Amino acid sequence: MSGLLVENADFVVGEKVLRDASVYIEDGKILWVGKGEVPSGIEKIDARKCAVLPALVNAHTHLPETVLRGLCDDHNLQEWLNDYIWPAENKLKAEDARIAALLGCAELIHNGIGFFVDQYFYAKEIAESAVTAGIKALLCPSVFDNCPEGKGIENQFAIARNFVQEWQGKHERIFTGIGPHAPYTVSDEYLTRIAEFAGARGLHIHIHLSETEWENTESQRKFGETPAERLHRIGLLGEKTLLAHCVHLSQKDVKLIASAKSTILHCPQSNLKLSSGIAKVESFRNSINVLVGTDGNASNNNLDVLEELRTACMLQKYLFGPEAMPLSSAFRMISSNAGLLGCSYRGLIAPGMPADLAVLPLSKSHLQPVHDIHSNIIYSANGTDMRDLIVDGKVVMRDYKIVAFDERRVIEEAGRVAERILEKK
Ligand SMILES: [Zn+2]
């Protein structure tokens, strides 16, 4: 039995705040919230003058892109991919991806993120990094031609299947899916085969969708249908389908996605930076489950999901008026909405829930006074204000220091990887 007490804090429990309370954790689960009996000799975290919130989720990223951060700005998506990102990624080896993913884990942890959803190649190395770091991940290996790992879609699909074979149900914090890159990079034949494979295995499918107007125009030209209509025809839209971006959806697309009960992963900063557009989240957030993700570091350029949510809220207010994206429903997009994914992450502080908690000191000057705790979290805090992070009842960051690995060494090694992949030959 391993007990942990987080005490003397204000706990964000759904829309309410439980003041000057404690949470007692045993064997990775929250046993009680409020006040209760505590065995002697257990580990304690004094969270006086802190808010304790659910550990956050970053619902769409490509973790090893940490080493591509700042590689290319000031271009649209197609130029960014074709001329900069894909050529650099082609030099990435498995061991590089492991170091890059560990750097990503460090950044996630500092931002209070205990669970991330990823789509990239080298999923095995990302899984091993997440295990080392002690955080939860839903990993959906990319399937498309442009992967340095597989060098061709057939081989990459085989690598993805092997990853699932090896990792599905193997580790309590690692969950497996599959990631056909996008409708414009994967043929009908492969989308069909991937949908069949995912269906047979009960896997999440994680795909980019309608990110740019170019994608929609190309889809109409080649197939006479929108990308969402095409996924629907192929049988790829379903309850376990995760659709990143969805910037350019028709009303019919929204209905198709809502009736399939798929989830949309909203990444506003990447969409702004690549000049792709603004997803109209406010118009569908009541009919579709929406989560917020940062996208990869190459297009954001950080993994701070609080900053991302703030941008999301402000954009929807600009589009739909000041009442759009109210505080508590916005906060669910980086916490409890991810509970629907069924990956042992719930984003809730309640008895019986996995003990995934982030501790945010409120005594900092930019977080005072506290009229409304949700307001301070979304509109005033920075992700890296988080002091402690607990995942499945284990402390993975304490007093701003990562517990499980030497962060400074990882930063140095990642720097060497970044230098090498930018060499001309
Ligand atoms: Zn992406």
Side-chain angles (χ1 to χ4, degrees):
M1 188 190 77
S2 55
L4 173 66
L5 183 75
V6 183
E7 56 183 347
N8 308 319
D10 291 344
F11 287 83
V12 177
V13 183
E15 292 177 20
K16 298 199 190 94
V17 179
L18 201 60
R19 296 197 187 280
D20 194 22
S22 300
V23 158
Y24 180 59
I25 297 158
E26 224 170 68
D27 296 328
K29 295 251 186 322
I30 294 172
L31 212 65
W32 52 255
V33 182
K35 304 215 183 293
E37 229 173 279
V38 182
S40 59
I42 53 147
E43 189 182 358
K44 290 182 182 177
I45 289 182
D46 186 351
R48 211 173 300 262
K49 294 184 180 163
C50 294
V52 176
L53 42 147
L56 305 178
V57 56
N58 187 337
H60 178 69
T61 187
H62 313 286
L63 205 58
E65 277 188 11
T66 48
V67 290
L68 308 180
R69 192 195 318 263
L71 178 64
C72 167
D73 305 298
D74 311 330
H75 290 271
N76 70 27
L77 177 71
Q78 292 312 312
E79 291 166 0
W80 176 84
L81 277 174
N82 292 319
D83 302 342
Y84 296 89
I85 300 306
W86 284 342
E89 282 181 342
N90 266 310
K91 296 184 190 162
L92 211 59
K93 298 188 174 69
E95 195 47 38
D96 302 335
R98 184 196 314 280
I99 294 160
L102 212 45
L103 181 66
C105 286
E107 189 179 352
L108 291 170
I109 290 170
H110 280 299
N111 280 283
I113 294 160
F115 175 46
F116 69 101
V117 183
D118 199 86
Q119 195 227 70
Y120 209 64
F121 32 90
Y122 296 128
K124 176 173 166 279
E125 283 71 22
I126 303 172
E128 287 166 355
S129 296
V131 169
T132 300
I135 57 177
K136 297 179 183 182
L138 169 55
L139 301 177
C140 308
S142 297
V143 180
F144 68 126
D145 264 324
N146 240 324
C147 293
E149 189 183 23
K151 298 187 170 47
I153 191 164
E154 184 58 38
N155 200 28
Q156 189 61 34
F157 187 25
I159 289 170
R161 292 197 304 268
N162 286 343
F163 171 76
V164 171
Q165 188 89 26
E166 197 183 327
W167 281 85
Q168 192 173 22
K170 179 187 168 188
H171 192 282
E172 66 270 23
R173 290 193 306 275
I174 302 297
F175 303 88
T176 57
I178 191 157
H181 172 261
Y184 63 91
T185 50
V186 185
S187 67
D188 277 15
E189 182 204 334
Y190 277 100
L191 288 174
T192 306
R193 287 174 61 191
I194 289 165
E196 285 168 1
F197 174 70
R201 285 279 195 158
L203 301 174
H204 287 280
I205 298 173
H206 183 177
I207 187 167
H208 299 92
L209 183 77
S210 285
E211 184 171 356
T212 60
E213 268 180 6
W214 171 86
E215 179 184 339
N216 280 20
T217 308
E218 281 293 287
S219 182
Q220 288 291 359
R221 190 176 65 78
K222 285 188 182 159
F223 305 101
E225 53 196 352
T226 66
E229 288 167 0
R230 188 166 153 237
L231 295 192
H232 172 68
R233 168 172 59 77
I234 290 168
L236 206 125
L237 288 185
E239 280 187 40
K240 296 201 121 186
T241 306
L242 312 175
L243 305 165
H245 302 303
C246 294
V247 176
H248 301 280
L249 296 181
S250 68
Q251 284 188 349
K252 186 180 169 195
D253 292 342
V254 170
K255 279 192 186 140
L256 287 174
I257 293 166
S259 61
K261 297 197 171 81
S262 302
T263 294
I264 288 180
L265 313 176
H266 177 44
C267 309
Q269 292 194 348
S270 174
N271 300 148
L272 288 174
K273 188 157 184 282
L274 293 166
S275 202
S276 303
I278 303 170
K280 295 181 180 58
V281 172
E282 184 65 15
S283 70
F284 54 69
R285 70 173 175 85
N286 288 323
S287 58
I288 298 172
N289 187 39
V290 179
L291 296 168
V292 166
T294 56
D295 214 348
N297 267 310
S299 65
N300 184 296
N301 298 1
N302 65 43
L303 303 174
D304 182 347
V305 81
L306 272 186
E307 179 189 292
E308 196 74 26
L309 182 64
R310 185 181 313 153
T311 305
C313 291
M314 289 185 181
L315 287 172
Q316 299 307 308
K317 288 176 189 302
Y318 165 72
L319 289 176
F320 293 94
E323 288 169 4
M325 295 277 271
L327 290 169
S328 56
S329 46
F331 186 68
R332 288 199 290 269
M333 292 183 192
I334 56 168
S335 56
S336 58
N337 282 6
L340 292 180
L341 303 186
C343 295
S344 93
Y345 171 89
R346 296 288 178 275
L348 291 169
I349 299 178
M353 292 291 142
D356 301 330
L357 305 171
V359 179
L360 172 69
L362 294 171
S363 52
K364 298 182 174 190
S365 54
H366 64 288
L367 297 174
Q368 284 292 320
V370 185
H371 295 303
D372 182 321
I373 216 158
H374 284 95
S375 174
N376 283 27
I377 291 169
I378 296 174
Y379 289 114
S380 306
N382 303 307
T384 51
D385 285 331
M386 302 294 178
R387 188 190 77 182
D388 312 299
L389 182 68
I390 296 159
V391 178
D392 274 348
K394 293 196 182 69
V395 183
V396 297
M397 175 172 69
R398 187 188 270 273
D399 203 13
Y400 304 101
K401 190 173 183 311
I402 289 173
V403 173
F405 61 91
D406 183 346
E407 184 182 3
R408 196 179 306 181
R409 221 187 75 203
V410 170
I411 291 170
E412 283 169 11
E413 287 177 6
R416 285 194 285 275
V417 171
E419 265 174 42
R420 197 178 49 68
I421 60 171
L422 287 184
E423 282 167 7
K424 286 279 177 253
K425 273 198 76 169

